[in-house]
Amino acid sequence: AVTVALISRGVNPYLTFPIAALCGALAGMCTGLIHVKGKVRDLLSGIIMMTALYTINYRIAGKSNVPMFSMKTAFDNDFINSLPAGLTPVRSLLVILIVSLACKFLLDAYLCTRSGFLLRAVGDTKRPLYCLAAAGIINVVLNLVFVIGFSMSVAGVALATIISQTVSALLVTGMLVREKGALRLDLRRLAFHAGTLKQILLIGLPAGLQSTVFSLSNVVIQSSINSFGSMVVAGNSASSNLEGFVYTAMNAFAQAAVTFTSQNIGARKYHNLDRVILNCLLCVVVTGLVLGGGAALAGHQLLRFYSSDTAVIATGAERLRLICGFYLLCGIMDVLASSLRGLGYSVLPMVVSLVGVCVLRLVWIATIFQLNRTPFMLYISYPISWALTALVHLACLLVVRRKLRQKQPQTI
């Protein structure tokens, strides 16, 4: 966002590199301050900062998408265009090579300072840096060979990337094989562990299947939206972009719920579970009320960033009122489902979500929506499905917590 904002104001594109790096360092410093001074867990500190950056980046850039086709960038400016014509096919690669080497030398210099030695004392950062640097150099060299020498175009760039990443992976693997201590990788003992694999699949497969079915249901919903014409489609797209900011903020607490509940289950600290779940619910409700309610109330003003057409703004505002106005229900649903996953029940929230969100919306479109084909009747299916699914998730969570309380006296 900083780079785009500066370039759009005529700043030299190469000058934007250190400025953007400085802004990134400031964001990292803020994360550290939240963690150290605010006594906030490291994971949650990163979530808080990333959520804040969505709003900050949007404010800096001015809108969600900024076209740069006519702007001078690091790959297309007066200096690059003045290079000999023979270097035209590799101008972009030369810029990448120069920037990569500059970053490598700067990091090498920093790691040799006092603070760099302190950083290396808490973890091996130098060898991974060398592997990444080697992969970057190999990638650039192979790009030159394949694109210029063999005229392979895009296929050559893809092949160079694959080879360089493979080399980097082999270098890291070789280091782990020669490592001593707990980090040593013994290839002869490398195998699947049935218990661990089962746990991974029980958690990962339901979540992946749920996302797949969600996508299929969204295709059906989008086809219904398309039937209302281009104005409604444009307003729906603009509203969806704004909803993404609210959802990202609320989803952070859902991710925190699954992380902290699983940690407390692993530590057998069952007495902390209710506090974790309640805190996540409280945070997501406040976030939904503030951000979701704010987006619903200021819908017309926010949608002007995307379109100046009053018809598009009106249709987008209608969706914002129904979606963002009740978005806290979606947040509550996600936190309850994530809490169940953190407690070790991954299939249960998947089934409930598929039936309560996907199947219910499809049935709604096939029945009630057909009786009154309006955008309102389509959008209202979202908060209804969120509320019903959240209630079922809550009932399941209460049953699971009752089972855990029965185990509690035996484990504490």
Side-chain angles (χ1 to χ4, degrees):
V2 172
T3 301
V4 172
L6 292 175
I7 290 178
S8 63
R9 288 166 174 78
V11 178
N12 188 302
Y14 298 110
L15 186 60
T16 63
F17 287 160
I19 297 175
L22 177 61
C23 292
L26 290 175
M29 186 183 301
C30 291
T31 305
L33 289 174
I34 295 173
H35 174 51
V36 177
K37 299 297 183 180
K39 307 297 183 183
V40 179
R41 294 286 297 272
D42 48 1
L43 175 63
L44 187 56
S45 300
I47 293 173
I48 293 173
M49 195 63 220
M50 288 302 298
T51 303
L53 285 176
Y54 276 100
T55 304
I56 295 171
N57 287 339
Y58 187 85
R59 177 61 179 168
I60 293 173
K63 53 184 177 180
S64 59
N65 296 305
V66 180
M68 300 182 63
F69 301 108
S70 60
M71 300 181 188
K72 294 182 179 180
T73 66
F75 302 101
D76 184 15
N77 53 68
D78 295 336
F79 172 72
I80 292 295
N81 295 331
S82 66
L83 294 176
L87 296 177
T88 300
V90 295
R91 289 175 180 175
S92 299
L93 299 178
L94 288 175
V95 174
I96 295 174
L97 176 61
I98 293 172
V99 173
S100 301
L101 291 176
C103 292
K104 193 265 182 188
F105 292 138
L106 288 174
L107 285 173
D108 278 348
Y110 170 72
L111 291 175
C112 292
T113 63
R114 181 181 178 183
S115 59
F117 283 121
L118 292 174
L119 180 64
R120 289 162 58 184
V122 297
D124 186 358
T125 60
K126 197 168 186 177
R127 289 191 298 173
L129 173 63
Y130 288 155
C131 293
L132 291 175
I137 294 173
I138 292 173
N139 193 2
V140 173
V141 172
L142 290 180
N143 278 329
L144 297 174
V145 173
F146 291 147
V147 174
I148 299 178
F150 297 99
S151 302
M152 296 179 65
S153 186
V154 177
V157 176
L159 183 60
T161 302
I162 294 172
I163 294 175
S164 63
Q165 295 297 323
T166 303
V167 171
S168 178
L170 292 175
L171 289 174
V172 174
T173 303
M175 293 177 182
L176 291 175
V177 169
R178 293 191 297 270
E179 189 72 31
K180 298 185 181 298
L183 293 179
R184 185 175 183 272
L185 175 62
D186 191 346
L187 296 177
R188 291 173 297 180
R189 300 177 62 183
L190 190 64
F192 288 110
H193 298 272
T196 304
L197 178 62
K198 181 180 178 180
Q199 292 179 350
I200 294 173
L201 293 177
L202 285 176
I203 295 175
L205 284 180
L209 179 61
Q210 178 179 323
S211 299
T212 302
V213 178
F214 273 19
S215 299
L216 293 176
S217 67
N218 287 335
V219 170
V220 177
I221 294 173
Q222 185 62 48
S223 65
S224 300
I225 294 173
N226 294 343
S227 65
F228 294 116
S230 58
M231 290 296 180
V232 175
V233 172
N236 178 81
S237 300
S239 175
S240 298
N241 287 332
L242 292 173
E243 293 161 16
F245 293 100
V246 184
Y247 177 78
T248 301
M250 294 193 302
N251 188 57
F253 299 107
Q255 300 303 317
V258 70
T259 300
F260 294 128
T261 52
S262 60
Q263 287 179 348
N264 282 282
I265 283 291
R268 296 181 181 272
K269 295 181 178 180
Y270 300 128
H271 58 282
N272 288 338
L273 293 175
D274 290 338
R275 183 177 62 181
V276 169
I277 296 172
L278 289 175
N279 284 340
C280 289
L281 285 173
L282 177 61
C283 290
V284 82
V285 167
V286 173
T287 304
L289 286 174
V290 175
L291 297 183
L297 294 174
H300 285 82
Q301 290 75 17
L302 293 174
L303 289 169
R304 293 186 187 279
F305 286 107
Y306 296 90
S307 175
S308 58
D309 192 308
T310 55
V312 172
I313 293 174
T315 56
E318 181 181 10
R319 177 183 167 105
L320 278 179
R321 284 193 298 269
L322 291 172
I323 303 298
C324 286
F326 297 94
Y327 227 170
L328 62 92
L329 296 175
C330 177
I332 294 173
M333 178 189 72
D334 286 344
V335 168
L336 293 174
S338 297
S339 299
L340 284 170
R341 292 192 182 94
L343 296 176
Y345 295 82
S346 58
V347 177
L348 180 60
M350 178 202 71
V351 174
V352 173
S353 297
L354 291 181
V355 175
V357 176
C358 298
V359 176
L360 178 59
R361 289 178 187 172
L362 294 177
V363 171
W364 181 280
I365 292 174
T367 56
I368 299 176
F369 175 67
Q370 298 303 323
L371 299 176
N372 186 12
R373 292 182 61 86
T374 61
F376 174 84
M377 291 303 296
L378 183 62
Y379 296 147
I380 197 64
S381 65
Y382 284 89
I384 291 176
S385 62
W386 292 333
L388 294 177
T389 307
L391 288 174
V392 179
H393 279 319
L394 179 60
C396 296
L397 184 61
L398 293 176
V399 173
V400 171
R401 285 294 292 119
R402 182 180 299 175
K403 291 182 179 180
L404 291 176
R405 287 193 185 94
Q406 294 174 356
K407 298 179 181 180
Q408 185 172 342
Q410 304 173 3
T411 56
I412 294 181

